[in-house]
Amino acid sequence: MHDKPLSKFTGRLVRRRPGVSRPAPERVGPDTYGLDEDKTLRFAADRLGPEEEQRLAEEVAEILPLGWSLSPRAKERLYTVSSHLGGEPQLLDWLDRHPGLPRLTARLTAMTGNLDRYSDDPSVVEAVRAARAEGALPAELEELLPPQTDEETLSDLAYRIDSLLFEQRTGDAARLALTAADWLRTAARQAPSRSPMLDEMAEFMAHLHEDVRQAGAAV
């Protein structure tokens, strides 16, 4: 992600899966998702070549948004990959090193996790409220977000992106993320007062907008 590695923004993720106050989507039908067992085990033993590792990264990107509804076997294999890399932040960094769907999924996941984290900061909530009072909310977001701005607003937005990823509508999730990143960057920069979290959010959204755009173009 330019000169700002993804790890800068994944080490402090707050995950509220599958949403702060909303039920998880439910999968229907048989579980057809999972990771190839042979590739998973050879990856954990550091015996996977570059081409097979790319394919494994694509498989991980396909199932990562389904995490809470995967079969126990699929969860176990995902855990094997994640624990071999050192945990969720390292898993996202690894996905980000692989072009296409893995990179885009990593960046969208980093965005939703940080939206949850920013929701806890009063200065961010106030900046979002001030931006909405100015009538600066894009039409795409106006249709999705409830009219009342509070500590749930950014988590609502994260949930919408998560839901699109869950439905494997990755392109729609990327377009929503781009709109949200552009608006939140402006809201943070034009906030009536400053805070360290607002400065971080402005920086993150500026980089994320370009990085999601680039990653999405390769999918």
Side-chain angles (χ1 to χ4, degrees):
M1 293 176 70
H2 305 301
D3 58 334
K4 302 296 181 181
L6 191 66
S7 58
K8 176 182 174 69
F9 299 104
T10 57
R12 300 185 297 270
L13 290 185
V14 174
R15 309 308 292 153
R16 294 174 179 161
R17 298 294 187 182
V20 175
S21 59
R22 293 157 289 275
E26 292 186 1
R27 292 269 310 284
V28 294
D31 181 7
T32 58
Y33 295 92
L35 302 179
D36 180 84
E37 182 176 20
D38 178 63
K39 284 202 296 287
T40 300
L41 294 176
R42 285 192 289 123
F43 177 75
D46 294 319
R47 294 191 294 107
L48 210 58
E51 291 186 5
E52 286 187 300
E53 184 173 321
Q54 173 67 28
R55 179 54 195 151
L56 180 64
E58 291 168 357
E59 292 177 3
V60 170
E62 288 173 358
I63 74 166
L64 187 63
L66 311 177
W68 62 84
S69 64
L70 290 171
S71 69
R73 179 172 296 181
K75 289 179 181 178
E76 180 180 350
R77 292 176 186 173
L78 181 59
Y79 175 77
T80 297
V81 173
S82 180
S83 61
H84 177 66
L85 292 165
E88 182 182 11
Q90 291 79 10
L91 176 65
L92 294 185
D93 287 338
W94 175 73
L95 287 174
D96 195 56
R97 295 196 295 271
H98 293 81
L101 181 63
R103 182 170 293 159
L104 180 58
T105 300
R107 293 172 181 186
L108 293 174
T109 302
M111 180 177 189
T112 59
N114 278 284
L115 284 174
D116 279 338
R117 187 167 65 88
Y118 296 145
S119 292
D120 293 332
D121 191 276
S123 68
V124 171
V125 175
E126 185 54 39
V128 172
R129 183 179 289 115
R132 294 188 77 173
E134 292 293 324
L137 189 64
E140 301 93 321
L141 301 183
E142 191 74 60
E143 297 172 357
L144 295 177
L145 297 177
Q148 182 67 33
T149 300
D150 55 25
E151 64 276 4
E152 299 288 327
T153 300
L154 295 189
S155 290
D156 281 333
L157 185 53
Y159 175 75
R160 298 289 184 174
I161 297 171
D162 280 339
S163 295
L164 291 171
L165 289 173
F166 183 91
E167 296 166 6
Q168 296 189 308
R169 295 167 57 189
T170 311
D172 290 336
R175 284 186 285 274
L176 177 57
L178 288 172
T179 299
D182 187 52
W183 179 67
L184 290 172
R185 173 185 57 191
T186 301
R189 288 176 175 174
Q190 296 180 352
S193 60
R194 307 309 310 157
S195 76
M197 189 67 84
L198 277 174
D199 292 338
E200 181 195 301
M201 187 173 79
E203 177 191 20
F204 176 58
M205 292 301 167
H207 282 281
L208 188 83
H209 186 279
E210 179 60 18
D211 291 330
V212 169
R213 186 193 66 77
Q214 290 179 1
V219 175

